[in-house]
Amino acid sequence: GENVEQHPSTLSVQEGDSAVIKCTYSDSASNYFPWYKQELGKRPQLIIDIRSNVGEKKDQRIAVTLNKTAKHFSLHITETQPEDSAVYFCAASKVGSGTYKYIFGTGTRLKVLA
Amino acid sequence: NAGVTQTPKFQVLKTGQSMTLQCAQDMNHNSMYWYRQDPGMGLRLIYYSASEGTTDKGEVPNGYNVSRLNKREFSLRLESAAPSQTSVYFCASNDWTANTEAFFGQGTRLTVV
């Protein structure tokens, strides 16, 4: 079945350094890849997303890259700040296919050390 | 505009008891979802409803049933709770035709003893 693998499960970085989280998906028909941030005790919230017709997307300190051939996509956070500490989830889905669901990765707990 | 609202926020059940988790959205979304979140397991899809009147199994449907009561409401029922169903449950909704972003409720922390 469909599967999304996410690595690493935990990541600690010094404030100001960059953080990279990687995901691999199994279904080559997937065409939409969102990233969600979940702060402790809160609900997941969308921070950035990318569609399969785009290779990279940036939003201030956050960027996502997609390699369709390898079925990989990654989240890049630059100049990390303590408020970036959270659990990050990647997901994959097939928009427009009639399949209306997201498959999530297992999450990455990011700790930004001051 | 409350978004996605779940009730209750916390619940303790004894093994074998039943309960229904309620979810309502006020964004006129077509699709609704139930996920469970366990440590190290991420968000796993239990059931989803692509549109009013339809429901489908997700990755981990065993032990659960759902009802799409109307466009706004999507409930999750545990008929005979088991300790393995101890988890945090999230409801989510979106409208694939307008915006792919999924909006989550605040979660229900369920403990089965």
Side-chain angles (χ1 to χ4, degrees):
Chain A
E2 301 159 352
N3 186 48
V4 176
E5 294 187 359
Q6 183 171 348
H7 300 282
S9 57
T10 60
L11 178 61
S12 294
V13 299
Q14 291 292 326
E15 183 178 357
D17 286 351
S18 295
V20 180
I21 302 170
K22 299 181 179 181
C23 290
T24 303
Y25 58 98
S26 62
D27 190 340
S28 57
S30 296
N31 58 10
Y32 175 65
F33 308 93
W35 285 88
Y36 283 79
K37 176 183 180 181
Q38 184 181 29
E39 297 177 351
L40 188 63
K42 301 289 183 64
R43 71 191 77 190
Q45 292 189 298
L46 180 73
I47 55 170
I48 195 167
D49 56 12
I50 191 168
R51 294 179 182 266
S52 59
N53 59 349
V54 175
E56 183 176 4
K57 183 177 179 180
K58 290 183 179 180
D59 183 2
Q60 299 182 332
R61 296 186 297 109
I62 295 174
V64 56
T65 58
L66 172 64
N67 182 330
K68 286 192 299 180
T69 302
K71 293 189 284 186
H72 288 169
F73 59 112
S74 300
L75 178 71
H76 305 254
I77 305 174
T78 59
E79 301 173 15
T80 54
Q81 301 169 3
E83 52 265 37
D84 294 329
S85 295
V87 178
Y88 291 82
F89 292 98
C90 62
S93 63
K94 295 180 286 189
V95 177
S97 68
T99 303
Y100 302 90
K101 59 183 179 180
Y102 299 89
I103 300 299
F104 282 87
T106 51
T108 296
R109 182 174 298 279
L110 174 64
K111 297 179 184 178
V112 179
L113 307 172
Chain B
N1 187 339
V4 180
T5 303
Q6 290 180 235
T7 55
K9 292 184 179 179
F10 302 94
Q11 183 71 49
V12 178
L13 290 178
K14 293 182 178 179
T15 297
Q17 286 186 318
S18 63
M19 80 160 295
T20 300
L21 280 65
Q22 307 286 354
C23 176
Q25 52 90 9
D26 61 4
M27 295 175 283
N28 201 36
H29 286 167
N30 290 320
S31 300
M32 298 185 73
Y33 312 83
W34 277 105
Y35 288 91
R36 61 177 289 174
Q37 183 174 28
D38 303 292
M41 302 294 287
L43 292 158
R44 292 185 292 170
L45 183 63
I46 304 171
Y47 270 93
Y48 66 103
S49 172
S51 60
E52 186 179 358
T54 69
T55 60
D56 286 285
K57 295 179 180 179
E59 304 166 78
V60 289
N62 292 343
Y64 305 95
N65 284 301
V66 291
S67 296
R68 184 73 182 266
L69 305 171
N70 48 54
K71 191 172 186 179
R72 292 185 61 250
E73 299 173 288
F74 187 40
S75 63
L76 178 72
R77 183 160 179 83
L78 287 70
E79 289 291 351
S80 179
S84 60
Q85 294 178 305
T86 293
S87 188
V88 179
Y89 292 84
F90 284 98
C91 177
S93 72
N94 74 336
D95 183 347
W96 291 98
T97 60
N99 184 346
T100 46
E101 178 178 357
F103 293 85
F104 285 81
Q106 76 274 31
T108 296
R109 184 173 293 277
L110 175 66
T111 302
V112 183
V113 297

